[in-house]
Amino acid sequence: MNQNEVPSPCPTGLTTPKALSSSFGDANCMEQLLVHCANAIETNDVTLAQQILWVLNNIALSDGDSNQRLASSFLRALTIRAAKTGSCKMLEAMMGEESHSHLAIGTHKFSVIELANFVDLTPWHRFGFTAANTAILEACEGFSVIHIVDLSLTHCMQIPTLIDAIASRHEVPPLIKLTVAGDNRRDIPPVLDLSYDELGAKLVNFARSRNVIMEFRVVHSSYTDGFASLIEHLKVQHLFYASEVGASEALVINCHMMLHYIPDETLTHDMDTNSYVYDYGYHSSTLSLRSLFLKELRSLDPTIVILVDEDADLTSKNLVCRLRSAFNYLWIPYDTMDTFLPRGSKQRQWYEADICWKIENVIAHEGLQRVERVEPKSMWEQRMRSANYHGVPISEDSVSEVKAMLDEHAAGWGLKKEDEHIVLTWKGHNVVFASAWLPA
């Protein structure tokens, strides 16, 4: 099939939005239209791009069913890409005023209570929280101090449940030291409406209410340079506590959907520069900052490393490959939303705005601006083993806890084991993996 030819399963000759919606509503057909649109934009084929965008603008309804809302977000991202690159300059005018609804999506700033409720809506994050907390408790048994380095997309929302578990498990709870990487420039959703210092004060007060002593520290560090400042801070701390006689401190590295924002090999090669190395002290042309970060963590001899992330591949340099991968992964949150959030609800609006942000970043941006570089579980396993870690099985107690949590949600969610690790599924499709690692 010629790449400029609209695929045969999508009927032609339909002129009304209602007819278009019913005939083009199939997800496979929408994916093909989006792929052809992306090709047309990349090759600056204005006529074809206009034709396909006209169809998409009529069928990809932002308030329609899950397939239509998914396609609407990709349409928005493609329009933004065309505007950014200067290709197909007639597109926005051709699409008409109605299309502007696709571009009017903002990111909500959550209060702590709103974010906690938001995270609890689905197992997307709770899955990793539950699996990680049990693994952390098991690994840190017998330590008088537990130092948790929390690299989390959800602003420490996992920590209160961990504090509760520690308080109920110990008659005299260990001292908890919590270190987070604070980046004032971070605009990755979900966005919190208070500073990390304010968040830390709330967490310390919560711990005190559970008779747990907690120390909170913010290290100003960013994913853009592989958390270089955080690594240096941890090295200093490691040397200090290694010199302390009788020190009994567990070091927990809790990575929850944040490591895929560290630059990977595709970005390093695209930029053709060595500037990413910064403070690590050595450079290897075969290692990305992502792999360097894991190796530097290994030098700290952590008690346990928890790695939780989305199980997809959004790293391709090719736009169409990324579009296909994203489309065949990000239908899942849209599909799940129809099971628990009514149309018009604020929570659904916030939830979909976050997914729209992700789709826009994957499709509309390149280079340093494209930070959504999710890798599949198999690639992270390879990185961890190369950095001299070995995987440890998620315990049966942890699996039982996760299954009990899933029972609180829709019937489509499931759990399966892959090697030592566990995977959250929706209708049989991999969503998020949770893994635990020890220094080899």
Side-chain angles (χ1 to χ4, degrees):
M1 181 186 297
N2 186 294
Q3 72 169 15
N4 292 336
E5 179 185 347
V6 175
S8 57
C10 300
T12 57
L14 301 170
T15 57
T16 68
K18 184 176 180 180
L20 284 168
S21 179
S22 62
S23 300
F24 287 88
D26 174 72
N28 291 331
C29 183
M30 286 188 175
E31 180 186 359
Q32 288 301 317
L33 286 170
L34 289 165
V35 164
H36 289 305
C37 183
N39 274 323
I41 289 172
E42 291 302 276
T43 58
N44 205 28
D45 189 334
V46 179
T47 301
L48 180 62
Q50 287 177 345
Q51 291 172 348
I52 300 174
L53 280 168
W54 184 87
V55 174
L56 285 168
N57 197 47
N58 281 284
I59 65 174
L61 306 178
S62 59
D63 60 350
D65 63 26
S66 59
N67 288 336
Q68 291 170 326
R69 301 198 311 276
L70 174 67
S72 173
S73 294
F74 278 90
L75 169 60
R76 174 180 176 273
L78 286 171
T79 305
I80 292 170
R81 184 181 181 91
K84 279 174 62 71
T85 59
S87 60
C88 304
K89 292 181 180 179
M90 296 289 290
L91 295 185
E92 194 169 347
M94 169 265 164
M95 289 173 67
E97 290 300 318
E98 187 179 352
S99 69
H100 289 290
S101 63
H102 292 292
L103 306 178
I105 297 175
T107 301
H108 177 70
K109 286 192 173 184
F110 290 88
S111 69
V112 170
I113 299 298
E114 284 177 340
L115 184 55
N117 292 333
F118 180 77
V119 165
D120 284 345
L121 286 173
T122 76
W124 204 281
H125 293 292
R126 290 189 73 197
F127 170 81
F129 292 175
T130 306
N133 284 352
T134 307
I136 291 169
L137 289 171
E138 292 170 354
C140 297
E141 190 67 44
F143 286 90
S144 59
V145 180
I146 303 176
H147 183 186
I148 303 165
V149 179
D150 192 45
L151 297 174
S152 170
L153 183 65
T154 58
H155 308 281
C156 302
M157 288 298 107
Q158 175 183 339
I159 301 303
T161 55
L162 181 56
I163 291 171
D164 268 336
I166 289 172
S168 62
R169 192 181 182 101
H170 299 274
E171 197 169 318
V172 179
L175 168 66
I176 305 298
K177 296 181 178 180
L178 180 61
T179 299
V180 300
D183 181 5
N184 294 330
R185 298 170 299 167
R186 177 181 153 183
D187 56 359
I188 299 170
V191 178
L192 204 55
D193 70 350
L194 74 167
S195 70
Y196 271 105
D197 289 331
E198 293 170 313
L199 176 63
K202 289 180 180 294
L203 288 170
V204 169
N205 287 336
F206 176 81
R208 187 181 298 118
S209 73
R210 299 298 190 269
N211 296 316
V212 175
I213 299 174
M214 171 182 278
E215 297 176 0
F216 182 87
R217 179 178 285 106
V218 181
V219 178
H220 294 288
S221 190
S222 171
Y223 61 85
T224 57
D225 64 356
F227 297 108
S229 298
L230 175 66
I231 290 290
E232 290 305 310
H233 170 80
L234 293 175
K235 282 183 177 180
V236 171
Q237 294 292 306
H238 179 65
L239 290 173
F240 175 77
Y241 285 106
S243 65
E244 291 282 292
V245 178
S248 174
E249 179 171 305
L251 176 60
V252 175
I253 311 295
N254 187 58
C255 306
H256 185 90
M257 300 191 188
M258 271 304 293
L259 296 198
H260 71 254
Y261 293 104
I262 298 175
D264 66 349
E265 290 85 354
T266 58
L267 180 59
T268 303
H269 294 161
D270 286 345
M271 302 303 291
D272 192 28
T273 176
N274 293 341
S275 60
Y276 289 121
V277 180
Y278 291 97
D279 299 324
Y280 285 105
Y282 63 93
H283 174 65
S284 170
S285 60
T286 61
L287 291 180
S288 67
L289 270 190
R290 204 167 283 192
S291 293
L292 288 171
F293 172 79
L294 294 175
K295 286 183 177 293
E296 290 295 302
L297 281 184
R298 173 62 184 84
S299 69
L300 300 173
D301 198 28
T303 307
I304 190 169
V305 176
I306 303 294
L307 177 55
V308 176
D309 218 315
E310 297 166 326
D311 195 6
D313 189 353
L314 305 180
T315 60
S316 175
K317 295 181 182 181
N318 181 274
L319 173 63
V320 169
C321 288
R322 288 204 311 277
L323 188 151
R324 286 190 184 279
S325 293
F327 190 90
N328 286 286
Y329 178 67
L330 293 172
W331 68 270
I332 294 172
Y334 282 99
D335 194 46
T336 63
M337 265 180 283
D338 288 343
T339 68
F340 68 92
L341 284 177
R343 272 186 199 190
S345 73
K346 284 186 177 180
Q347 286 183 319
R348 178 153 150 176
Q349 181 183 348
W350 298 340
Y351 201 98
E352 295 198 359
D354 281 7
I355 307 166
C356 283
W357 186 93
K358 184 187 289 280
I359 291 171
E360 177 189 332
N361 193 266
V362 170
I363 301 302
H365 301 291
E366 296 293 351
L368 286 169
Q369 289 185 311
R370 179 159 64 83
V371 298
E372 280 288 348
R373 296 170 179 266
V374 175
E375 290 184 315
K377 179 171 73 73
S378 58
M379 186 63 197
W380 282 112
E381 289 174 338
Q382 181 180 326
R383 287 190 190 280
M384 293 300 287
R385 292 191 179 105
S386 296
N388 203 22
Y389 297 91
H390 69 86
V392 292
I394 301 294
S395 70
E396 288 304 317
D397 285 347
S398 182
V399 170
S400 297
E401 290 278 343
V402 172
K403 286 180 177 177
M405 180 273 295
L406 292 180
D407 288 341
E408 302 173 16
H409 294 279
W413 294 104
L415 176 150
K416 66 180 180 181
K417 293 182 179 180
E418 291 187 355
D419 302 319
E420 304 100 338
H421 316 306
I422 57 175
V423 180
L424 174 69
T425 63
W426 172 255
K427 297 181 178 178
H429 298 270
N430 285 16
V431 181
V432 173
F433 69 90
S435 58
W437 300 85
L438 300 178

